[in-house]
């Protein structure tokens, strides 16, 4: 098992994270035991952060002990891997607007004390102000206002703090070319963030761009 980032491993071309809740799975992923430890396979086709890593992400701001604000938690697929990475010293504030998805997310939280589920609209961060400062804001909301949402949630970051966003062009405007949408989103973000890395998620996700951002 080769550690490629702190808390992220690779073996035989597959990504893994060390299972923070040994004996449990989240989305039918494979489990591998090595050196008395249990690792969960991180499927890039099921996770935009996983696919960004497979596509060559150079800098990984989420690490053991990180405090992460995760917007668009859904049923917890990627959140569970972030929970594995940050471990017992870290925290994942998982914001999700759908009560239906939240029901499944709560089952994941039962085994993972480092995830704090929040049923809220990521466009209204004043509703979860008590989260306080975080190290990283991660956003995967597939929503037309995703750039504006990221800017609003930058309030939780200090200067130099990191953000990651998966931009789904089809959710913003199906009539425009993805490149036009990406340029528009980057323009909206540029007052608040500098772009550190820009990664196309093809072939794992069609028409998705992943950005690593740093708060100005
Ligand atoms: C593409 S899915 C996220 C998948 C998830 N990040 C993963 O990798 O496991 C997008 C999620 O964003 C949620 N969402 C959409 N608009 C939202 C909003 N305004 N606030 C919070 N969550 C939102 C949707 O309900 C959906 O669960």
């Amino acid at each position: 098992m080769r550690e490629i980032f702190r808390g992220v491993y690779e073996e035989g071309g597959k990504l893994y994270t060390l299972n923070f809740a040994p004996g449990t799975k989240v989305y039918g992923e494979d489990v591998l035991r090595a050196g008395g430890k249990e690792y969960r396979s991180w499927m890039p086709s099921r996770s935009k952060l996983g696919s960004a890593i497979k596509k060559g992400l150079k800098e990984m701001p989420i690490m053991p002990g990180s405090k992460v604000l995760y917007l668009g938690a859904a049923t917890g697929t990627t959140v569970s891997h972030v929970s594995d990475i940050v471990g017992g010293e870290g925290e994942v504030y998982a914001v999700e607007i759908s009560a239906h998805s939240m029901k499944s997310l709560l089952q994941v939280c039962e085994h993972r004390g480092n995830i704090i589920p929040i049923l809220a609209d990521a466009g209204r961060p004043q509703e979860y102000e008590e989260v306080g400062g975080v190290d990283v804001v991660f956003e995967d909301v597939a929503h037309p206002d995703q750039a504006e949402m990221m800017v609003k949630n930058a309030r939780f970051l200090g200067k130099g703090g990191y953000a990651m966003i998966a931009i789904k062009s089809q959710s913003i405007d199906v009539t425009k070319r993805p490149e036009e949408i990406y340029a528009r989103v980057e323009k909206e973000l540029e007052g608040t963030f500098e772009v550190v890395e820009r990664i196309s998620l093809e072939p794992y996700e069609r028409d998705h761009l992943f950005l690593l951002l740093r708060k100005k």
Side-chain angles (χ1 to χ4, degrees):
M1 207 45 92
R2 190 169 67 94
E3 191 172 31
I4 56 168
F5 292 117
R6 289 184 60 205
V8 182
Y9 303 83
E10 201 173 49
E11 171 78 29
K14 286 186 174 178
L15 288 181
Y16 291 88
T17 52
L18 185 61
N19 197 352
F20 184 62
T24 69
K25 290 191 190 191
V26 176
Y27 59 106
E29 67 277 20
D30 292 333
V31 167
L32 195 145
R33 288 182 184 79
K37 292 180 175 155
E38 187 177 299
Y39 297 86
R40 292 191 308 125
S41 154
W42 190 353
M43 293 154 75
S45 56
R46 300 283 303 276
S47 164
K48 277 143 224 159
L49 181 54
S51 53
I53 293 172
K54 282 301 271 182
K55 287 294 307 281
L57 182 74
K58 293 188 193 72
E59 208 176 334
M60 174 60 161
I62 299 173
M63 57 186 80
S66 294
K67 187 170 168 182
V68 179
L69 175 60
Y70 191 112
L71 310 172
T75 55
T77 301
T78 303
V79 164
S80 69
H81 289 290
V82 174
S83 153
D84 282 350
I85 296 168
V86 304
E89 301 297 314
E91 285 172 326
V92 188
Y93 290 86
V95 178
E96 173 53 53
I97 200 167
S98 154
H100 186 71
S101 297
M102 182 54 74
K103 210 173 149 193
S104 307
L105 180 65
L106 288 176
Q107 287 172 3
V108 177
C109 296
E110 269 177 32
H111 310 285
R112 295 171 172 272
N114 62 2
I115 306 176
I116 299 96
I118 301 173
L119 182 63
D121 179 353
R124 299 180 54 79
Q126 61 275 21
E127 289 179 3
Y128 47 90
E129 203 75 70
E130 64 278 8
V131 166
V134 300
D135 301 304
V136 182
V137 176
F138 185 97
E139 185 190 286
D140 177 18
V141 290
H143 187 283
D145 301 329
Q146 51 186 259
E148 190 189 339
M149 266 183 211
M150 181 54 103
V151 169
K152 284 183 182 170
N153 282 275
R155 67 171 73 191
F156 297 101
L157 290 170
K159 187 174 184 297
Y162 284 95
M164 298 170 119
I165 182 170
I167 304 162
K168 183 178 180 183
S169 71
Q170 297 289 301
S171 295
I172 297 175
D173 190 339
V174 281
T175 68
K176 297 264 169 21
R177 286 186 307 115
E179 288 68 27
E180 271 181 67
I181 305 288
Y182 301 151
R184 196 210 290 170
V185 169
E186 285 193 40
K187 190 102 198 105
E188 282 182 61
L189 293 170
E190 77 181 11
T192 312
F193 296 100
E194 61 168 303
V195 177
V196 182
E197 289 185 51
R198 189 180 282 108
I199 298 171
S200 155
L201 296 185
E202 306 266 352
Y204 300 108
E205 298 281 353
R206 272 194 68 198
D207 298 334
H208 275 75
L209 182 70
F210 189 93
L211 298 178
L212 172 64
L213 306 163
R214 196 183 292 124
K215 191 174 174 194
K216 288 181 176 170

